[in-house]
Amino acid sequence: MFCRIFQPMEAYNLDTFKALDRYRYLRSNFIAAYHGGSTQHRKRDLGPLRRRGYIAAPEQQKNSANYRYSPRVYELASKGKVELLAHGTTPTSWRESRQFWHQLMIADIVMSFEIACKERGLQFRHRTDIIGAQPLQFTSSISHQFSKHMEHYDGALQPDELFAINNTHFVLEADRQHEPITRPTLNTSSYLRKILQYRAVLKSGSYKDLIPNMMVINITTSPTHAKNIQTFMLEALRMSSSALLFKGIEILGSRDSYPQPLIHLLDEPFQRVGHPDFIISKET
């Protein structure tokens, strides 16, 4: 029975396992869109994989108002990891500290780009294709004049994710509005600190230790919040940037509804401070 169910779809199942390994969590509708064909058939394919212990459904997803009616979220389970190892792929060791909903937002965004590139015939490379198992972080040294004191901060800048479309490399900051735009110190995370760090990394070119070029995609769960960050850059920091891209997408923060793959991200404008909007499909 096992061979009759799985042998004809072995490569297909392995692609599902690899995708779950890349992103940690994926919604079933995103997995279906990635493979193409009938969405209902693709989603039904996941049931036997779950029942046999190849994939699992994280409990955290039940903390949403529409859980019973939403596409299920899956992650790779122990037998799926064994299957990857048997086919020459070492499973990712994910940090347990990363928040479920934050990681799912990252996956929703980057998998959307991967699906869109697959449909368009554009080259997409995930972080693991670009830097392998190396840590995604950049060295930076920043200073900022607060109202009553000057403060310095030396610490690693750690983007949420990295991917490339054709020859353009993008790092992602996925913001669920859990940290303020500014704080009275640089010792705790804020958008002020991130903006100063990205400015330092871009100016010094320290990112070139990992990648040849870099654009920074900032996606938050509120268009208003995205606009407020840009206003802060312009008015408080007197700063413009051609490399920092901004967009607010409310559906990514909702627990009452759920997103479909955001393939329109390739064609929709991202805002920049002091520069024209950036459309990825036209610039890459």
Side-chain angles (χ1 to χ4, degrees), residues 9 28 31 60 68 89 105 107 110 140 170 187 192 212 225 231 246 264-266 277:
M9 292 174 26
S28 61
I31 296 172
Q60 298 98 316
R68 293 182 60 189
T89 298
M105 179 178 173
V110 184
S140 68
F170 298 92
N187 290 321
L192 164 64
H225 187 56
T231 300
F246 293 91
H264 53 78
L265 288 177
L266 278 182
D277 290 350

Side-chain angles (χ1 to χ4, degrees), residues 58-74:
E59 288 293 315
Q60 298 98 316
Q61 66 186 293
K62 294 182 180 179
N63 184 21
S64 61
N66 67 332
Y67 165 71
R68 293 182 60 189
Y69 308 100
S70 299
R72 290 291 178 266
V73 177
Y74 292 104

Side-chain angles (χ1 to χ4, degrees), residues 145-267:
Q145 178 64 58
F146 290 92
S147 59
K148 295 183 179 180
H149 70 287
M150 170 69 77
E151 192 168 316
H152 304 278
Y153 178 81
D154 295 311
L157 171 62
Q158 298 178 307
D160 287 323
E161 196 50 281
L162 163 69
F163 62 96
I165 298 175
N166 290 340
N167 295 318
T168 303
H169 294 72
F170 298 92
V171 296
L172 173 68
E173 290 290 341
D175 173 36
R176 296 183 64 81
Q177 300 189 71
H178 289 167
E179 63 183 27
I181 294 177
T182 184
R183 295 183 192 267
T185 177
L186 295 177
N187 290 321
T188 49
S189 184
S190 66
Y191 243 99
L192 164 64
R193 193 175 82 180
K194 287 180 180 179
I195 290 168
L196 294 176
Q197 286 182 299
Y198 276 116
R199 179 171 66 179
V201 167
L202 288 162
K203 184 176 181 180
S204 69
S206 62
Y207 62 86
K208 293 180 181 178
D209 293 338
L210 280 182
I211 51 180
N213 54 66
M214 185 173 76
M215 302 290 288
V216 185
I217 293 180
N218 298 272
I219 294 184
T220 183
T221 54
S222 165
T224 300
H225 187 56
K227 192 64 178 177
N228 288 341
I229 296 170
Q230 296 172 75
T231 300
F232 176 79
M233 282 180 60
L234 184 63
E235 297 182 356
L237 300 179
R238 300 289 190 269
M239 176 183 166
S240 64
S241 176
S242 62
L244 269 61
L245 316 179
F246 293 91
K247 182 177 284 291
I249 305 175
E250 291 182 347
I251 191 67
L252 292 175
S254 175
R255 296 196 190 180
D256 297 321
S257 188
Y258 58 88
Q260 298 294 338
L262 306 166
I263 58 175
H264 53 78
L265 288 177
L266 278 182
D267 301 313

Side-chain angles (χ1 to χ4, degrees), residues 49-61:
L49 294 175
R50 180 185 178 187
R51 289 191 292 272
R52 292 177 178 271
Y54 288 89
I55 63 177
E59 288 293 315
Q60 298 98 316
Q61 66 186 293

Side-chain angles (χ1 to χ4, degrees), residues 1-14 17 45-54 79 83:
M1 176 64 71
F2 177 88
C3 292
R4 285 201 301 272
I5 292 176
F6 288 102
Q7 187 171 345
M9 292 174 26
E10 182 177 357
Y12 168 85
N13 288 332
L14 281 173
F17 301 158
D45 291 337
L46 298 172
L49 294 175
R50 180 185 178 187
R51 289 191 292 272
R52 292 177 178 271
Y54 288 89
K79 288 180 70 174
E83 198 70 19

